[in-house]
Amino acid sequence: MKKINSWDDITIGQYQEIKSIPETNNKITKFIETLSIIFDVDPNYIRNLPMNEYKELVQQTQFLEDEPQSTIEKIIAIDGKRYGLIPKFPFITAGEFMDAESWKDKPIENLHYLTALIYRPIVKEDGDTYEIQKHIDEGFEERANLFRDKVSIETVMGGNLFFSIIEMTYLEDTLTSLTEDMKREMDLN
C-alpha cells in the first residue's frame, strides 16, 4: 500500500469520496471505508488485515481526526505545468463570480470546479508576478478533473478558504458602496 502521512497526501477526489460516505452509527465501518478510499483498496482488504497491521494504519492515519489545514499556495505545479491562483480577487470577472455562485450550494461536490476556477494555467511569469489564462470553457472540465485527481486537499482548502474570505469582503464592500450611493441619491432628491 502507498504511504499516507497527512492530508497533503489526499487528493480533492479522495476527500470528496470521504465526505460522501453516508453517516452511520458504526464509526469503525466509516473508518474502514475512509481507509479503503485513501489507500485505494477494497474495504474487505482492510477488514482482513492482521490486527497489528490494522493498528499501524490507524496510527499512520491519525491526521484524519482533524480537518485539513488551510495553506495558501499561489502557484501549484502538476505534471510540469504551472497554475497560478487568481492574483487579484477584487477584480474577478462577472463570469467568474457567477460560476463560483453556482457551485457554492454543494461546495465539497464542486470543489474541483472551484479549484479550476481559482487556479489557472500561468501564461506569463516574471519573478513573483504572473498572469493566468482567462476564465474560458475550453479545457475547463479537463483541468477540473486533473485537479480532482492530482491536487492535495490541503492546497485546495487554503485557496478556497482564501477565495471565500475575499468574496465576502468584496460583497460587503459592494453593499456598502451601493448603500452610500443610495443615500447620496436620496439626499439629492
Side-chain angles (χ1 to χ4, degrees):
M1 274 192 293
K2 60 186 174 182
K3 194 79 169 153
I4 305 288
N5 294 314
S6 71
W7 280 112
D8 198 41
D9 297 321
I10 308 297
T11 66
I12 295 170
Q14 290 171 313
Y15 184 76
Q16 289 170 318
E17 282 186 70
I18 291 166
K19 289 299 187 179
S20 72
I21 297 171
E23 285 300 319
T24 176
N25 290 336
N26 190 332
K27 292 181 180 186
I28 294 173
T29 299
K30 185 171 181 171
F31 186 67
I32 288 172
E33 291 291 323
T34 300
L35 292 178
S36 76
I37 291 166
I38 65 175
F39 289 107
D40 195 24
V41 296
D42 187 274
N44 286 324
Y45 176 84
I46 304 289
R47 285 184 177 89
N48 290 319
L49 284 173
M51 196 58 184
N52 64 332
E53 289 182 38
Y54 177 75
K55 284 181 181 180
E56 284 178 31
L57 281 183
V58 170
Q59 284 183 320
Q60 182 182 346
T61 58
Q62 284 184 346
F63 67 89
L64 293 170
E65 294 175 17
D66 301 316
E67 284 297 311
Q69 297 297 305
S70 295
T71 59
I72 298 173
E73 295 185 36
K74 291 176 80 173
I75 296 174
I76 57 176
I78 305 168
D79 299 335
K81 188 164 186 155
R82 293 168 59 82
Y83 300 87
L85 184 67
I86 294 176
K88 297 178 182 174
F89 276 101
F91 300 105
I92 64 171
T93 66
E96 291 166 338
F97 181 78
M98 285 182 255
D99 282 347
E101 280 291 303
S102 71
W103 298 317
K104 77 175 185 176
D105 291 336
K106 295 182 180 177
I108 300 297
E109 188 176 308
N110 293 311
L111 199 50
H112 57 301
Y113 292 119
L114 288 164
T115 304
L117 174 72
I118 65 173
Y119 284 100
R120 297 201 290 271
I122 294 176
V123 294
K124 186 178 177 183
E125 196 169 1
D126 184 21
D128 289 342
T129 60
Y130 58 87
E131 188 178 313
I132 58 174
Q133 178 185 68
K134 291 192 181 303
H135 178 48
I136 55 175
D137 287 340
E138 185 179 326
F140 181 81
E141 186 80 28
E142 291 83 5
R143 187 171 69 249
N145 291 334
L146 174 73
F147 287 177
R148 180 194 63 214
D149 297 337
K150 295 204 173 187
V151 173
S152 156
I153 190 62
E154 282 197 341
T155 298
V156 172
M157 293 303 271
N160 284 312
L161 176 65
F162 179 71
F163 181 69
S164 298
I165 291 168
I166 295 298
E167 178 185 15
M168 286 186 285
T169 303
Y170 181 69
L171 288 174
E172 287 172 13
D173 290 347
T174 302
L175 289 172
T176 301
S177 177
L178 288 172
T179 303
E180 288 173 4
D181 287 349
M182 287 175 59
K183 284 180 184 176
R184 276 194 296 266
E185 187 75 29
M186 292 172 80
D187 289 344
L188 292 174
N189 291 328

